[in-house]
Amino acid sequence: MTVIITDDMVDAYQRDGVVLVRGLWADWVEPLRAGVARNMANPTSQMPTLKAGEVGGFFDDYCNWSRVPEFEEAIFRSGVAEAAARLMQSGQVQLFHDHVLVKEPGTAKPTPWHTDGPYYFVEGRQTVSFWSPLDPVREASLRCVAGSHLWEKDVLPTRWMAETDFYPGAHDYMPVPDPEAEGMRILEWEMQPGDAVAFNFRTLHGARGNLAASRRRAFSLRLVGDDARYVERPGPTSPPFPGHGMTAGQRLREDWFPVLPRRPMAA
Ligand SMILES: O=C(O)CCC(=O)C(=O)O
C-alpha cells in the first residue's frame, strides 16, 4: 500500500499537532504483531501498571527495537521516516524510541491525559510519535487535544501509578487540564490495524480503558527532526537511557539514536 502525506495533512499537523495517517503500517501489521508478542514474552520492564483491585491488564514497555527484529525491520525498511520528514518538515529523521502499549479486554483504567515531551530529554519543534493500533479500535483509540502543542507552558508530568509529580518544581508547569470539562477540541478516530495517529511530543493526549471483548495492542514510534536537541531535566527522564553522556544543546548521539533512511512510503 502506498501512503501519501498530502500538503493538507502537513498543514493539519503543523496547526493541530496531530493528524491521522491511514494505512501507515498497513503492510507491516503482521510483523509488528509478532514483535509485540516477542516483546510481551520477554519484557525489559516488569513495573506494575495497574493498582491492586484494578481489573484487566495493561502492558507497557519501551526501547526494544534493537532486540526485537520485527520492530527493527519495520522501522528501518518501511516508509515511516519519509512520512515523519514530511509531517515535521525536516530533512533528517532520527529514531528516539519504540513503545508498546497493550490493554487487555475489560481494562477500565484510562491512559491519563499527558504530554510526552516533559518526560523526555529532548526538545524541538520537529518531533512526531506515530501511535498505531494493531487491532481494530474505537472507544480505546488515542485522543489528542488539537493545538495543545503550541501551548506556552509544558503540562505537568506525573507518575501514572502513584499519581505524584514526576519532577520537583510543579510551578514550572501548567496543571493537567480536563479537556472534556474545559471544552477543548479532542480529535480521535475509529482506526484499523496499521493506521496511525501522528502527534507532536507536546500534544496533550490520553486514551480510555479497553472495555471491548478483544485486546487493544498499540505500537508507538517516537522520532525527532533537525531541530531536536538534548535538554537537562530536573530528574531522571522516561526513558532514562543511562550512561548516554550527552550535554545540553547537543543533537542526540547517532550511535544510540540512528538516522533513519527515507524510503518511499510503500511496502
Ligand atoms: O496507548 C495508550 O493508551 C496511550 C498511548 C500514549 O500515551 C502514547 O503513545 O504516547
Side-chain angles (χ1 to χ4, degrees), residues 65-147:
W65 64 267
S66 59
R67 63 185 197 97
V68 176
E70 295 87 353
F71 291 169
E72 182 166 359
E73 196 167 341
I75 294 166
F76 284 81
R77 298 191 59 79
S78 71
V80 71
E82 183 58 28
R86 285 273 295 140
L87 292 173
M88 293 191 291
Q89 296 286 278
S90 175
Q92 194 167 280
V93 177
Q94 249 180 302
L95 171 57
F96 186 40
H97 71 90
D98 55 280
H99 198 158
V100 168
L101 304 111
V102 177
K103 287 189 180 176
E104 300 296 347
T107 305
K109 189 184 179 70
T111 306
W113 290 107
H114 67 285
T115 59
D116 294 329
Y119 296 90
Y120 295 162
F121 57 44
V122 63
E123 265 183 9
R125 209 178 40 80
Q126 292 161 310
T127 64
V128 65
S129 283
F130 290 106
W131 180 92
S132 296
L134 301 175
D135 302 288
V137 68
R138 192 164 60 185
E139 282 298 298
S141 195
L142 197 73
R143 314 178 75 205
C144 294
V145 173

Side-chain angles (χ1 to χ4, degrees), residues 57-58 64-65 74 87 92 99 111 136 154 174 176 197 201 204 218 264:
F58 187 6
N64 288 302
W65 64 267
L87 292 173
Q92 194 167 280
H99 198 158
T111 306
D154 279 337
M174 64 181 275
V176 181
V197 177
F201 288 2
L204 187 71

